[in-house]
Amino acid sequence: DIPQTGRGDAAATTRIYFEGRYLGRPVTDENRCIALGMLAEGLRGSRPEEALPVFQAQLALWRRNWPDDENSILIVQTNLSSCLDDLGRREEAIDLKVDIYRRREATLGASHKTTILDGCSLVITMRRSMICPDEAIAFARDLLGEARQSLGADHDLTLKISKSLATALVNHSERTRGDLRLNRHRRG
């Protein structure tokens, strides 16, 4: 169920969409669901606590109306996980991002740009959380290798992963000089 915050128009809009009726008409079409996502994205920057139930409502609608549309569900889950991260609920964000990454890897393959993008998002959240720095570093190294091979060493996403790995290594107390060089000899 979608939590009701009782604040502002976003909460009322979310309830309308989640309950499935607006002005007596069913809310089931894709355009309305997309509009709900746009509302959530608009709220996320300044009021993420209000955006969260809107994302949850959008995810519930996608699952209910289009359960076989895996890509759209993953996109909504990605937005939801980013909102959780924005709210500092990093363990929940990591759990959801791990699930998203695994599903992308299973459906698109490890070398697909979207899979690598979702992996990068996971690395950044893991790095920020400092819950599992060793896992973040190991995963970032593997992902960096995949990104270099698939996208090239100079691709923006490869560079972003490299930066996240470097930041994780700098912040990790057991780093070594070799780690800080990011294994330059592996560059492809």
Side-chain angles (χ1 to χ4, degrees):
D1 284 303
I2 303 302
Q4 295 184 10
T5 61
R7 290 181 283 156
D9 295 334
T13 303
T14 302
R15 281 193 301 281
I16 288 168
Y17 277 94
F18 187 68
E19 290 165 2
R21 300 204 71 72
Y22 177 70
L23 298 176
R25 288 181 253 161
V27 179
T28 57
D29 71 310
E30 189 174 356
N31 290 332
R32 288 188 177 124
C33 199
I34 291 169
L36 189 58
M38 292 173 72
L39 171 64
E41 279 298 323
L43 289 169
R44 190 175 141 217
S46 60
R47 301 187 320 229
E49 66 284 345
E50 290 185 40
L52 183 63
V54 181
F55 280 125
Q56 291 170 327
Q58 184 189 28
L59 180 59
L61 283 172
W62 274 110
R63 285 181 170 158
R64 182 174 63 213
N65 294 317
W66 305 281
D68 297 328
D69 189 352
E70 177 95 14
N71 186 53
S72 293
I73 290 171
L74 288 173
I75 290 169
V76 176
Q77 285 182 311
T78 299
N79 293 334
L80 176 62
S81 68
S82 295
C83 187
L84 288 166
D85 191 16
D86 293 345
L87 290 168
R89 295 168 58 176
R90 298 222 163 84
E91 285 185 51
E92 292 172 81
I94 289 171
D95 289 344
L96 188 52
K97 288 180 183 199
V98 165
D99 183 49
I100 292 164
Y101 178 78
R102 286 182 179 154
R103 286 169 49 205
R104 289 282 191 205
E105 190 176 39
T107 57
L108 300 174
S111 62
H112 194 278
K113 184 178 177 180
T114 303
T115 305
I116 294 169
L117 178 63
D118 286 332
C120 181
S121 178
L122 173 58
V123 165
I124 291 168
T125 301
M126 290 172 78
R127 179 183 52 81
R128 283 183 192 157
S129 74
M130 296 308 288
I131 296 169
C132 45
D134 291 330
E135 289 178 46
I137 291 168
F139 180 67
R141 282 186 174 140
D142 291 343
L143 189 64
L144 182 59
E146 192 64 52
R148 283 180 177 156
Q149 184 177 6
S150 301
L151 305 173
D154 294 330
H155 191 277
D156 286 344
L157 196 49
T158 305
L159 296 172
K160 190 172 186 177
I161 296 165
S162 183
K163 178 185 173 193
S164 289
L165 175 58
T167 304
L169 288 168
V170 167
N171 292 333
H172 190 50
S173 61
E174 298 175 13
R175 65 190 184 273
T176 67
R177 287 189 99 204
D179 288 335
L180 292 174
R181 281 191 231 111
L182 294 175
N183 300 320
R184 286 185 205 173
H185 63 280
R186 288 189 186 175
R187 284 189 123 165

